[in-house]
Every structure is written in C-alpha cells, then in structure tokens.
Coordinates of all heavy atoms in Angstrom, one line a residue:
V1 N -39.5 -74.7 -8.4 CA -39.7 -74.0 -9.7 C -40.1 -72.6 -9.3 O -40.9 -72.3 -8.5 CB -40.8 -74.7 -10.5 CG1 -41.0 -73.9 -11.8 CG2 -40.4 -76.1 -10.9
I2 N -39.5 -71.6 -10.1 CA -39.8 -70.2 -9.9 C -40.5 -69.7 -11.2 O -40.0 -70.1 -12.3 CB -38.5 -69.3 -9.7 CG1 -37.6 -69.9 -8.6 CG2 -38.9 -67.9 -9.5 CD1 -38.2 -69.8 -7.2
R3 N -41.5 -69.0 -11.0 CA -42.2 -68.4 -12.2 C -42.5 -67.0 -12.0 O -42.6 -66.5 -10.9 CB -43.5 -69.2 -12.6 CG -44.7 -68.9 -11.7 CD -45.9 -69.6 -12.2 NE -47.1 -69.2 -11.3 CZ -48.3 -69.6 -11.5 NH1 -48.5 -70.4 -12.6 NH2 -49.3 -69.3 -10.7
R4 N -42.7 -66.3 -13.1 CA -43.2 -64.9 -13.0 C -44.7 -64.9 -13.5 O -45.1 -65.6 -14.4 CB -42.4 -63.9 -13.8 CG -42.3 -64.3 -15.3 CD -41.3 -63.3 -16.0 NE -41.1 -63.7 -17.4 CZ -40.7 -62.9 -18.3 NH1 -40.4 -61.6 -18.0 NH2 -40.5 -63.3 -19.5
I5 N -45.5 -64.0 -12.9 CA -46.9 -64.0 -13.2 C -47.3 -62.8 -14.1 O -48.4 -62.7 -14.6 CB -47.8 -64.1 -12.0 CG1 -47.5 -63.0 -11.0 CG2 -47.6 -65.5 -11.4 CD1 -48.5 -63.0 -9.8
N6 N -46.4 -61.8 -14.2 CA -46.7 -60.6 -15.0 C -45.6 -60.4 -16.0 O -44.5 -60.9 -15.9 CB -46.7 -59.3 -14.1 CG -47.8 -59.4 -13.0 OD1 -48.9 -59.8 -13.3 ND2 -47.4 -59.1 -11.8
N7 N -46.0 -59.7 -17.1 CA -45.0 -59.3 -18.1 C -44.4 -60.5 -18.9 O -43.2 -60.5 -19.3 CB -43.9 -58.4 -17.6 CG -44.4 -57.2 -16.9 OD1 -45.4 -56.5 -17.5 ND2 -43.9 -56.8 -15.8
V8 N -45.2 -61.6 -19.0 CA -44.7 -62.8 -19.7 C -44.9 -62.5 -21.2 O -46.1 -62.4 -21.6 CB -45.4 -64.0 -19.2 CG1 -44.9 -65.3 -20.0 CG2 -45.2 -64.2 -17.7
P9 N -43.9 -62.5 -22.0 CA -44.1 -62.2 -23.4 C -44.9 -63.3 -24.1 O -44.8 -64.5 -23.6 CB -42.7 -62.2 -24.0 CG -41.8 -61.9 -22.8 CD -42.5 -62.5 -21.7
P10 N -45.6 -63.0 -25.2 CA -46.3 -64.0 -25.9 C -45.4 -65.1 -26.4 O -44.2 -64.9 -26.7 CB -46.9 -63.3 -27.1 CG -46.9 -61.9 -26.7 CD -45.8 -61.7 -25.8
N11 N -45.8 -66.4 -26.4 CA -45.0 -67.5 -26.8 C -43.8 -67.8 -25.9 O -42.9 -68.4 -26.3 CB -44.6 -67.4 -28.2 CG -45.8 -67.2 -29.2 OD1 -46.8 -67.9 -29.0 ND2 -45.7 -66.3 -30.1
E12 N -43.8 -67.2 -24.7 CA -42.7 -67.5 -23.7 C -43.3 -68.2 -22.5 O -44.5 -68.1 -22.2 CB -42.1 -66.2 -23.2 CG -41.2 -65.5 -24.3 CD -39.9 -66.1 -24.4 OE1 -39.3 -66.6 -23.5 OE2 -39.4 -66.1 -25.6
S13 N -42.5 -69.0 -21.8 CA -43.0 -69.7 -20.6 C -42.9 -68.7 -19.4 O -42.1 -67.9 -19.4 CB -42.1 -70.9 -20.4 OG -42.5 -71.5 -19.1
D14 N -43.8 -68.9 -18.5 CA -43.7 -68.2 -17.2 C -42.7 -68.7 -16.3 O -42.2 -68.1 -15.4 CB -45.1 -68.1 -16.6 CG -45.7 -69.5 -16.2 OD1 -45.2 -70.5 -16.8 OD2 -46.6 -69.5 -15.4
I15 N -42.2 -70.0 -16.5 CA -41.2 -70.6 -15.7 C -39.9 -70.0 -16.0 O -39.4 -70.0 -17.2 CB -41.1 -72.1 -16.0 CG1 -42.5 -72.8 -15.7 CG2 -40.0 -72.8 -15.1 CD1 -43.0 -72.7 -14.3
I16 N -39.2 -69.5 -15.0 CA -37.9 -68.8 -15.2 C -36.7 -69.6 -14.6 O -35.6 -69.4 -14.9 CB -37.8 -67.4 -14.8 CG1 -38.1 -67.2 -13.3 CG2 -38.8 -66.5 -15.6 CD1 -37.8 -65.9 -12.7
Y17 N -37.0 -70.6 -13.7 CA -36.0 -71.3 -13.0 C -36.5 -72.7 -12.5 O -37.6 -72.7 -11.9 CB -35.3 -70.5 -11.9 CG -34.1 -71.2 -11.4 CD1 -32.9 -71.1 -12.0 CD2 -34.1 -71.9 -10.2 CE1 -31.7 -71.7 -11.5 CE2 -33.0 -72.5 -9.7 CZ -31.8 -72.4 -10.4 OH -30.7 -73.1 -9.9
I18 N -35.7 -73.7 -12.7 CA -36.0 -75.0 -12.1 C -34.7 -75.4 -11.3 O -33.6 -75.3 -11.9 CB -36.3 -76.1 -13.2 CG1 -37.6 -75.7 -14.0 CG2 -36.4 -77.5 -12.5 CD1 -37.8 -76.6 -15.2
G19 N -34.9 -75.8 -10.1 CA -33.7 -76.1 -9.3 C -34.0 -77.3 -8.4 O -35.1 -77.8 -8.2
N20 N -32.9 -77.9 -7.8 CA -33.1 -79.0 -6.9 C -32.3 -78.7 -5.6 O -31.4 -77.9 -5.6 CB -32.6 -80.3 -7.5 CG -31.1 -80.5 -7.4 OD1 -30.6 -81.0 -6.4 ND2 -30.4 -80.2 -8.5
A21 N -32.6 -79.4 -4.6 CA -31.9 -79.3 -3.3 C -31.9 -80.6 -2.6 O -32.9 -81.4 -2.7 CB -32.5 -78.2 -2.4
G22 N -30.8 -80.9 -1.9 CA -30.8 -82.1 -1.1 C -29.7 -83.1 -1.5 O -29.5 -84.1 -0.8
T23 N -29.0 -82.8 -2.5 CA -27.9 -83.7 -2.8 C -26.6 -83.3 -2.1 O -25.7 -84.1 -2.0 CB -27.6 -83.7 -4.4 OG1 -27.4 -82.4 -4.8 CG2 -28.7 -84.3 -5.1
G24 N -26.6 -82.1 -1.5 CA -25.5 -81.7 -0.7 C -26.0 -81.5 0.7 O -26.8 -82.2 1.2
N25 N -25.6 -80.4 1.3 CA -26.0 -80.1 2.7 C -27.1 -79.1 2.8 O -27.5 -78.7 3.9 CB -24.8 -79.6 3.5 CG -24.2 -78.3 3.0 OD1 -24.6 -77.8 1.9 ND2 -23.3 -77.7 3.7
Q26 N -27.7 -78.7 1.7 CA -28.8 -77.8 1.7 C -30.1 -78.4 1.2 O -30.1 -79.1 0.2 CB -28.5 -76.6 0.8 CG -27.4 -75.7 1.3 CD -27.2 -74.5 0.5 OE1 -28.1 -74.0 -0.2 NE2 -26.1 -73.9 0.6
G27 N -31.2 -78.2 1.9 CA -32.5 -78.6 1.5 C -33.2 -77.5 0.7 O -32.6 -76.4 0.6
V28 N -34.4 -77.7 0.3 CA -35.2 -76.7 -0.4 C -35.4 -75.4 0.4 O -35.2 -74.3 -0.2 CB -36.6 -77.3 -0.8 CG1 -37.4 -76.2 -1.5 CG2 -36.4 -78.5 -1.7
G29 N -35.7 -75.5 1.7 CA -35.9 -74.3 2.5 C -34.6 -73.5 2.5 O -34.7 -72.3 2.4
K30 N -33.5 -74.1 2.7 CA -32.2 -73.4 2.7 C -31.9 -72.8 1.4 O -31.5 -71.6 1.3 CB -31.1 -74.4 3.1 CG -29.8 -73.8 3.3 CD -29.6 -73.1 4.6 CE -28.1 -72.7 4.8 NZ -27.9 -72.0 6.0

C-alpha cells in the first residue's frame, strides 16, 4: 500500500495505491 502523508484533502484517504505481487514472476521487492 502506498500513502501520502502531506497535503491530504479533508474527507479524502491518505491511501493512494493498493497493489499485489507474486502471481507472476515479480515479488513485492521487484
């Protein structure tokens, strides 16, 4: 999960991206 910690508008989430890795040939680090 990627989040931003500054400039988050009121009533908005700080989370900007949710992703997964490992179903193909790339893991989380990659």
Side-chain angles (χ1 to χ4, degrees):
V1 176
I2 309 291
R3 76 173 181 178
R4 59 184 175 159
I5 57 173
N6 300 313
N7 303 317
V8 180
N11 302 319
E12 289 280 328
S13 175
D14 59 342
I15 303 296
I16 61 169
Y17 188 77
I18 298 172
N20 86 81
T23 53
N25 63 352
Q26 293 188 20
V28 176
K30 182 81 169 177

